[in-house]
Amino acid sequence: MKAHIQQLLEQAIVCLIKQQIIPADTQPRINIDRTKDKSHGDYANNLALMLAKPAKQNPRHLAELIVANIPESTLVIKMEIAGPGFINFFINPNFLEKQIDSAYSNERLNVQIEANPQTIVIDYSSPNLAKEMHVGHLRSSIIGDAVARTLEFQGNKVIRQNHVGDWGTQFGMLLAYMEELRAKGEPIENNLANLEIFYRAAKARFDESEDFATRARNLVVELQSGNEECLKLWSQFNETSLSHCQETYQRLGVSLTRADVRGESSYNDQLAVIVEDLDKQGLLQQSQGAKCVFLDNFKNKEGEPLPVIIQKKDGGFLYATSDLAAMRYRQNELNADRILYFVDARQGLHFQQVFEVARSAGFVNDKTSLEHMPFGTVMGEDGRPFKTRSGSVAKLADLLTEAEMRAYELVKEKNKEMSEQELRHIASVVGISSVKYADLSKNRTSDYTFSFDSMLSFEGNTAPYLLYAYTRVVSIFNKAGIEMGGVTAALSLTEEKEIDLANKLIQFDEIIKQVAKQGMPHFLCSYLFELAGLFSSFYEACPILIAETETQKQSRLKLAGLTAKTLKQGLSLLGINTLERM
Ligand code: ARG
């Protein structure tokens, strides 16, 4: 409601600037306060007092001018000028009541369906298959997934693209090692069970033996030119690695499937076409034997133009080349209106460059929006990028297992009588959602510190806090003996805490829009956290099951019910499941 009143006042300011009543550079801080005495309305504002001086007006008179320029609103029934020039707003409680009533009985909780749905390609997770997924892949996978779910919920056509790194020089080394194992008669499958160890062993061979390294380099060439035997080994490797990824997605509740995988290798036959196309358009230049595009906007420290290398001297293609091919595919075949990339902030320059090349070459048309959605690094408590105790990069699967184990201890502590099976289930939901929520609730552009203790806390902006808030409402309904969606009586808002909660509930739609537009799930997290907090204060001040009248009880149950539905829906957009008890 405050946001709404703020908007009304901002619009009045614009009008008054146009009428030259207040100076054009006026950008006042608008403070809106709840009134203590309801006979003065619900909200009060001191804008006229603040602007009186710059506008050289009597504050009461200015207040009258402001009120006269405030646009019509169904939410505000009356405005009054009080004292030296305060403006008091009287809110139409009917409006709020109607909104809550209708959201409560609406499957979508009144979240609007996009009037002009778009086709939105989302490139996320996209790990390199040479190794197992590690903590660095957490952010891309879960932030991308939350935004995908949100855009989909709005009615857009979302196309997920898992642009896995399944091509390039590292694969030569891996294939050479596979061949070596086979020659020794060792079963490859067993060795692939742990990709980390496999990778390290291959790398060790590569570093120690010149022969091996030469074989590895030859195998890349063989692979890229379509040698059957190489392709077979390569796909055996990728199958194993991809199934590891799928397992992790499953555990994490990330909605990517095998059908969403479209890795770098799938653009292989397009790479030469890209080079040809760029060349035809006169965009390519030779530089030290490599084919490059030079962009005016990108210069190095010495002020010389920075090249985007498209093809190396030895004929090999680069990461940028497959990204260009992918953009063209997403534009022409997938008909994207927006293409979003959830990729580490450290690849910012890469994306600026390939976006510009793609536009200059017409691979992507002007109407299609290309958006790098960067995210920061997961840090350890020592202030450096997160590592395991032994100092190696933390495997994502191990991290999730540890979270589940820690959650198990916590849940067991609180529920001594629970069956082992239920404990395990709850621990898994709490553990995984804590890891996810801790990440999603931070502004994605910043780095954050990974801490099991704070993510598993029942206090503060955490998954356990929200999951618990949800179970509280569930238990109220259980005690009342009715279904959460089963309240039929109309809403009647009288208490301040009820109105505060109702005001928050009707903002859900606004928040969803914000997340969808900016690709920032932390807005939704903050919203859910504030909602749960307002629910707590409401519940403390306004007894539900022992309310004074039946009407009041039903009305409060309805507010509680909509709170729970909103929490559940919000968490589900974040890819987090709720629990009925914990
Ligand atoms: N495989 C890359 C990495 O692990 C990320 C790919 C992101 N997507 C893209 N289209 N470049 O760093």
Side-chain angles (χ1 to χ4, degrees):
M1 189 57 65
K2 280 188 181 174
H4 178 70
I5 295 177
Q6 173 154 354
Q7 272 175 8
L8 295 177
L9 288 166
E10 279 165 0
Q11 285 168 2
I13 293 176
V14 172
C15 294
L16 292 175
I17 289 177
K18 270 197 203 129
Q19 297 163 40
Q20 297 180 351
I21 294 170
I22 53 177
D25 56 358
T26 312
Q27 272 182 328
R29 269 198 34 194
I30 301 181
N31 305 310
I32 295 153
D33 295 312
R34 275 200 160 277
T35 51
K36 296 209 174 60
D37 177 353
K38 291 287 160 218
S39 65
H40 293 152
D42 299 291
Y43 295 94
N45 165 273
N46 63 354
L47 186 63
L49 299 166
M50 279 169 47
L51 290 184
K53 219 174 178 183
K56 302 194 181 76
Q57 296 270 352
N58 163 304
R60 265 195 87 96
H61 177 61
L62 187 58
E64 278 166 27
L65 292 173
I66 293 173
V67 169
N69 282 282
I70 283 182
E72 186 97 34
S73 156
T74 40
L75 275 69
V76 175
I77 30 173
K78 194 167 83 168
M79 285 173 280
E80 262 177 20
I81 295 161
F86 290 103
I87 304 174
N88 292 340
F89 293 84
F90 293 74
I91 300 307
N92 182 354
N94 261 329
F95 171 83
L96 260 184
E97 287 165 357
K98 273 205 204 111
Q99 290 276 310
I100 300 287
D101 271 332
S102 100
Y104 178 80
S105 52
N106 178 287
E107 222 179 69
R108 302 181 50 81
L109 311 177
N110 277 356
V111 173
Q112 283 168 19
I113 294 220
E114 193 53 63
N116 302 302
Q118 290 184 308
T119 298
I120 305 173
V121 169
I122 310 189
D123 181 322
Y124 70 105
S125 193
S126 309
N128 288 332
L129 295 187
K131 294 185 184 183
E132 221 169 294
M133 287 177 83
H134 56 81
V135 62
H137 298 113
L138 178 70
R139 306 211 72 186
S140 176
S141 305
I142 64 180
I143 303 174
D145 204 50
V147 176
R149 288 168 189 263
T150 307
L151 286 163
E152 216 154 42
F153 186 61
Q154 285 189 311
N156 296 293
K157 175 174 172 193
V158 168
I159 306 179
R160 294 164 171 78
Q161 292 281 282
N162 195 355
H163 188 87
V164 296
D166 58 359
W167 211 231
T169 49
Q170 283 175 327
F171 286 87
M173 179 181 94
L174 297 168
L175 296 191
Y177 191 59
M178 284 169 96
E179 281 196 333
E180 203 166 79
L181 287 174
R182 203 168 46 181
K184 278 198 241 159
E186 278 194 46
I188 296 176
E189 299 77 46
N190 297 356
N191 282 280
L192 284 181
N194 190 322
L195 283 185
E196 281 312 297
I197 295 178
F198 189 89
Y199 184 90
R200 258 181 273 144
K203 178 84 166 62
R205 288 291 292 132
F206 188 86
D207 292 340
E208 80 193 5
S209 156
E210 195 43 55
D211 250 16
F212 184 95
T214 313
R215 230 173 317 132
R217 286 191 201 98
N218 290 340
L219 281 171
V220 182
V221 181
E222 294 281 311
L223 176 69
Q224 305 208 333
S225 53
N227 176 313
E228 291 262 334
E229 199 47 39
C230 283
L231 279 171
K232 236 201 230 150
L233 277 182
W234 171 79
S235 72
Q236 184 185 0
F237 183 91
N238 282 346
E239 278 310 312
T240 314
S241 185
L242 276 174
S243 65
H244 280 298
C245 295
Q246 272 322 124
E247 253 169 58
T248 305
Y249 297 147
Q250 193 111 39
R251 287 182 75 186
L252 264 179
V254 163
S255 63
L256 285 167
T257 67
R258 278 299 292 270
D260 303 318
V261 173
R262 201 173 166 89
E264 289 180 33
S265 66
S266 65
Y267 301 103
N268 190 35
D269 59 353
Q270 290 300 307
L271 302 179
V273 184
I274 293 286
V275 176
E276 219 172 276
D277 237 31
L278 290 170
D279 202 20
K280 261 193 233 146
Q281 303 192 47
L283 288 163
L284 279 189
Q285 282 178 37
Q286 295 275 348
S287 170
Q288 295 164 22
K291 292 183 178 153
C292 308
V293 180
F294 285 91
L295 299 167
D296 294 342
N297 296 340
F298 298 92
K299 304 227 160 63
N300 66 12
K301 280 190 220 101
E302 285 73 43
E304 295 152 2
L306 271 179
V308 182
I309 308 174
I310 306 292
Q311 189 171 23
K312 290 188 289 191
K313 197 173 168 181
D314 66 5
F317 301 102
L318 291 110
Y319 182 50
T321 328
S322 35
D323 257 326
L324 289 172
M327 272 187 260
R328 210 168 62 147
Y329 167 76
R330 292 164 185 185
Q331 173 73 76
N332 297 342
E333 310 294 324
L334 302 180
N335 294 311
D337 297 307
R338 278 176 87 184
I339 311 177
L340 315 183
Y341 293 83
F342 287 88
V343 185
D344 196 305
R346 287 168 286 194
Q347 295 192 28
L349 179 62
H350 164 77
F351 283 107
Q352 285 177 30
Q353 292 181 324
V354 291
F355 288 173
E356 188 152 329
V357 175
R359 290 227 192 267
S360 322
F363 295 157
V364 170
N365 67 38
D366 289 344
K367 281 196 224 107
T368 303
S369 128
L370 297 168
E371 302 165 53
H372 177 206
M373 301 277 181
F375 52 79
T377 308
V378 182
M379 307 297 272
E381 288 180 273
D382 58 359
R384 314 167 63 119
F386 187 79
K387 294 259 165 67
T388 58
R389 258 172 243 118
S390 67
S392 56
V393 180
K395 267 167 62 174
L396 195 44
D398 294 345
L399 217 65
L400 299 181
T401 304
E402 180 162 357
E404 285 172 334
M405 266 163 42
R406 288 180 183 241
Y408 178 85
E409 295 305 327
L410 282 176
V411 180
K412 193 169 177 166
E413 188 64 30
K414 285 189 197 280
N415 303 281
K416 298 234 157 49
E417 277 90 61
M418 214 175 249
S419 75
E420 185 63 16
Q421 196 191 359
E422 189 173 8
L423 272 178
R424 294 264 166 220
H425 170 66
I426 295 178
S428 163
V429 174
V430 172
I432 302 285
S433 59
S434 297
V435 173
K436 290 182 83 169
Y437 190 86
D439 190 304
L440 292 167
S441 59
K442 313 289 186 316
N443 183 325
R444 73 167 151 71
T445 58
S446 1
D447 298 344
Y448 79 90
T449 302
F450 190 94
S451 153
F452 280 120
D453 287 336
S454 61
M455 68 179 68
L456 285 163
S457 165
F458 277 77
E459 274 151 47
N461 190 7
T462 64
Y465 174 77
L466 290 179
L467 293 174
Y468 183 67
Y470 178 81
T471 60
R472 260 173 99 188
V473 186
V474 171
S475 90
I476 295 170
F477 274 87
N478 286 342
K479 282 193 196 125
I482 58 170
E483 296 277 317
M484 198 180 271
V487 185
T488 46
L491 197 76
S492 131
L493 298 172
T494 51
E495 301 304 311
E496 183 178 335
K497 299 287 178 200
E498 294 174 332
I499 294 176
D500 286 345
L501 179 59
N503 267 325
K504 195 79 195 173
L505 282 166
I506 63 167
Q507 288 166 26
F508 190 46
D509 175 57
E510 231 173 85
I511 298 295
I512 300 289
K513 286 204 179 91
Q514 209 178 355
V515 174
K517 183 158 178 234
Q518 302 182 38
M520 295 267 200
H522 75 281
F523 289 127
L524 178 54
C525 297
S526 308
Y527 170 81
L528 295 175
F529 176 57
E530 285 160 22
L531 180 65
L534 288 171
F535 176 77
S536 265
S537 323
F538 151 77
Y539 190 47
E540 246 164 61
C542 309
I544 300 181
L545 299 175
I546 47 166
E548 279 165 28
T549 64
E550 186 59 23
T551 321
Q552 202 169 50
K553 173 175 160 186
Q554 293 297 323
S555 169
R556 288 178 183 170
L557 273 172
K558 200 172 220 177
L559 267 183
L562 183 60
T563 305
K565 287 179 185 209
T566 307
L567 286 172
K568 188 179 178 107
Q569 180 62 61
L571 288 169
S572 132
L573 293 177
L574 297 171
I576 292 176
N577 288 326
T578 45
L579 290 162
E580 297 301 296
R581 68 181 196 135
M582 64 190 278

